[in-house]
Amino acid sequence: GRTALHWASGNGLVAVAKVLIDEGDADMTLRSNEGSSPLRIANGQDMARLLRSRLASEKKAASKKEKPKSEL
């Protein structure tokens, strides 16, 4: 099956995808049964740009959490 984010992405519904990601905490890395990510099936440049941007932000936030604080 596909998630709601897969559906929005595949149909180019950028506003819906934004809500799912920002307010619904949708997992952008989940793969469908066919092995496709929402980015892989993105319909349109705006959708692909949104997903790439949010994935990069998510990755950056995760890397900040993993860095240990230096002791003084």
Side-chain angles (χ1 to χ4, degrees):
R2 292 184 172 187
T3 66
L5 184 58
H6 282 92
W7 175 80
S9 178
N11 288 291
L13 301 172
V14 176
V16 173
K18 283 181 181 179
V19 170
L20 291 169
I21 295 166
D22 296 341
E23 297 180 28
D25 201 28
D27 186 345
M28 295 176 283
T29 64
L30 284 179
R31 305 255 178 196
S32 68
N33 288 346
E34 297 84 26
S36 299
S37 69
L39 179 58
R40 173 98 168 127
I41 62 170
N43 185 352
Q45 293 290 332
D46 291 339
M47 181 61 73
R49 192 176 302 116
L50 168 71
L51 293 171
R52 282 190 200 104
S53 169
R54 296 296 164 71
L55 283 165
S57 295
E58 201 173 81
K59 188 174 182 179
K60 186 176 180 180
S63 71
K64 283 184 178 181
K65 287 180 183 178
E66 292 175 8
K67 289 184 180 178
K69 293 182 180 181
S70 61
E71 294 183 29
L72 297 176

